[in-house]
Amino acid sequence: MIYPHNFEQKIGFSQIRQLLQQKCLGPLGQDRVEQMDFSDDYTEINRRLEQTTEFVRIVQEEDEFPSQHFFDVRPSLKRIRVEGLYLNEQELFDLRRSLETIRDIVRFLQQTEADDDEDYGGATPYPALRELAADILTFPQLIARIGDILDKFGHVRDNASAELLRIRRELSATTGSISRSLNSILRAAQAEGYVDKDVTPTLRDGRLVIPVAPGMKRKLRGIVHDESATGKTVFIEPAEVVEANNRIRELEGEERREIIRILTEFSATVRPQVPALLQSYEFLADIDFIRAKAVLSIAIGGVKPSFEDRQVLDWFEAVHPLLQMSLARHGKKVVPLDIELTPEQRILLISGPNAGGKSVCLKTVGLLQYMLQCGLPVPMNERSHAGVFSHLFIDIGDEQSIEDDLSTYSSHLTNMKMMLRGCDSRSLILIDEFGGGTEPQIGGAIAEALLKRFNQRGTFGVITTHYQNLKHFAEEHEGVVNGAMLYDRHEMRALFQLQMGNPGSSFAVEIARKIGLPEEVIADASDIVGSEYIQSDKYLQDIVRDKRYWETKRQNIRKREKQMEDTIARYEAEIAELEAQRKEILRKAKQEAEQLLQDSNARIENTIRSIKEAQAEKERTRDVRQELTDFRQQVAEIDPAATEEAIARKMEQLRQKQERRQQRKAAQKAAAAEAPKEKPIEADSYVRVKGQPAIGQVLEINGKTAVVMFGLMKTTVRVERLEHADPPQQQALSPGKASFISSATQSQLREKRLNFRQDIDVRGMRGDEALQAVTYFIDDAILVGVSRVRILHGTGTGILRTLIRQYLSTVSGVKEFRDEHVQFGGAGITVVDLY
């Protein structure tokens, strides 16, 4: 149960929903955002969180995830379930591209499992997402059939059927015949002086005509179709081409009917598969929705805390996401919130000064818990613990209503009645200014009675108040704990930090004095309330101040202890390493001694054998004895003390080596601290992708990505993958020189090819505007690899035509340019062939 009905507006979740919709790639995901709801099913919430967490890793680590063509063709598919209706060319084109996206997403998740099988111990790195895509059909035959009907630009192919091919061939031949006839008639009329020399055929109502002065219209036999707005030109269709133009109209009608037949026939084959197709598009909607949640999670620093199937709220460094984004725009940081609600202390009673952050704390708890149970990662420390609540209640703000005859206090009591009726041990209640809005004594009494019943039912909650009797209740009853929003008395400013365990002071006297209220008024108020109350409030402030002081001391001691433990652990590791090295040296010395003993025994045996073989010859015996004596002297020269001294020297060398290593590390850290920070990458900087030779120039920076121009190619790259480079020297590049093109650039190039139009209309532009538009148009045409484009500049005075052709003659990528065929515009259109 969620109460009241405008719960989302009160905690700010409606703004989170709007942010999510902005992150979606299309209406599929936006519909899912609208349908997103609160859940108290632990398994369902955990599944949603796992899916989003996995997608966060995909967004951060994977560059090849398909993120284009999230078209919603569900209305079109539902429409063709009626017999006789069909998908038009654009709908069919959207169907093909979106089905390719579904296929690529499913393939990505399956291939990722195969590629990372060893790294993840035989398990896929994205199990929740792979489970979502397990039974999704990708319709490869349908994609291939649409490819047979439409080309890459979404137009029906000539060979989509034999009849369509015949019609288009005849249409082309008839058009060529008309063009030749018109040119012949036009040349003859120009020779006779009926028509100006610079006149070209034009189109009127889909028929090729010749512009003629009104005084000469009787000279040219044919049908007058139209005249200019000024009446100075009439448009005549010569009689010789009337029948041919009529045939063109007939062929165009036949062409359209054949295309409709092809589309109707295809739609009939699709009709039985509509339910399965709709299921696949539901999967695409889920992916768009999960991706939007992941992108928003990255933007707000959201994580999945330790999520448990019980009622618990133990958060560290939690922040309000909307407040965080608002302060970040002004270069400020939000103060994180640490809060703990357990079965032993379920209800937190927060007190403190006005504008000290009590309401923000309450809203933060409500918004983050609601986000979590909607399947959204939340901005807090990963070691936080969060649970599941079945009911959420909030009472915040002024709900007075003239229509409903409700005052401010009546509306609060109405909310309390609903909370008492619906709350239990699985409920979380959020109440701001508990007991306010009426006479303090009775208001405080009613609030205490309500608090008692909330506590008896085991309800969890966060409540803000200024009433002393509620603070005493929290001190005296188990299950309720006091909390204070801290305030700096010396600087007279709120610290926006929550401290649990002690009640807070309202600091009314201090705030009144800071605002500048007359001192006699403050003194008079102090006398009215009594010195004991003022002193008790000061004692409370002193207790809070002292507790904060000793808490800071305790944290510092813990930090020092942690540093000491790390130091001791490091020294113990170094001592263990030195002891291991000492044992290794002694082991090698022992091996050498054993080898020496073996050599000595072998020498003695050889000496005895030599004496026996020499049969005790005096000279030979003397030589052998001399050799044995020399060897004995060599062994005797090896002093054990010298061996121990050598070991000690070795140990000292190792110790000095360890010290030098530590000194080098310290020097490197100091040098790194003193070294100037690397200049950040900015617009107009020359950069290269790390590990690649190609140098480009940054056009703009968009957050963590940069738009870089590599030669004639513009691409989007993550800033962290770029490094500064020297500006390239001006030199001609050989045609065969290769350059690095990232997958993101290839994807953008494919998108540009799909959306590129081969015609540009510059009529009505000034000369410089037209030249600029044509320059960009030709550059894009060369980039996407189009072989032919058309520039519509009109005839007029001929200035635009001349300027454009002068520019085209300077472009190395232009093969040739000429007037369009007379039936398609003649001199008013320039056809450009590109290499």
Side-chain angles (χ1 to χ4, degrees), residues 114-139:
D115 295 342
D116 296 344
D117 187 64
E118 296 182 0
D119 296 339
Y120 288 85
T124 172
Y126 311 120
L129 291 174
R130 186 173 183 275
E131 181 183 358
L132 183 66
D135 301 323
I136 301 302
L137 301 178
T138 56
F139 305 98

Side-chain angles (χ1 to χ4, degrees), residues 467-501:
Y467 288 160
Q468 291 291 341
N469 65 312
L470 298 182
K471 300 177 187 177
H472 294 315
F473 182 90
E475 290 293 334
E476 297 167 359
H477 292 78
E478 186 178 352
V480 186
V481 61
N482 271 309
M485 300 306 297
L486 300 182
Y487 191 84
D488 192 324
R489 291 174 58 191
H490 300 290
E491 298 185 9
M492 297 300 294
R493 64 181 182 89
L495 299 178
F496 304 107
Q497 294 179 0
L498 173 65
Q499 186 179 74
M500 298 182 62

Side-chain angles (χ1 to χ4, degrees), residues 110 145 172 217 303 323 345 490 528 576 617 668 741 767:
Q110 293 174 348
R145 177 64 184 123
S172 177
K217 65 181 180 181
V303 300
L323 181 61
Q345 51 180 35
H490 300 290
I528 293 172
E617 293 181 3
Q668 289 174 356
I741 301 178

Side-chain angles (χ1 to χ4, degrees), residues 419-484:
M419 290 183 184
L420 274 178
R421 183 180 298 173
C423 72
D424 55 21
S425 61
R426 292 179 60 85
S427 301
L428 176 65
I429 60 173
L430 307 168
I431 306 175
D432 192 31
E433 300 295 346
F434 195 28
T438 188
E439 194 272 323
Q441 189 169 358
I442 188 62
I446 293 176
E448 184 174 340
L450 288 168
L451 182 59
K452 179 180 179 181
R453 280 151 183 79
F454 290 146
N455 189 32
Q456 289 173 349
R457 296 187 182 187
T459 302
F460 288 73
V462 178
I463 300 173
T464 69
T465 187
H466 289 285
Y467 288 160
Q468 291 291 341
N469 65 312
L470 298 182
K471 300 177 187 177
H472 294 315
F473 182 90
E475 290 293 334
E476 297 167 359
H477 292 78
E478 186 178 352
V480 186
V481 61
N482 271 309

Side-chain angles (χ1 to χ4, degrees), residues 509 519-534:
V509 173
E519 192 63 35
E520 60 269 17
V521 175
I522 297 175
D524 195 11
S526 300
D527 293 338
I528 293 172
V529 77
S531 60
E532 292 184 0
Y533 182 86
I534 297 296

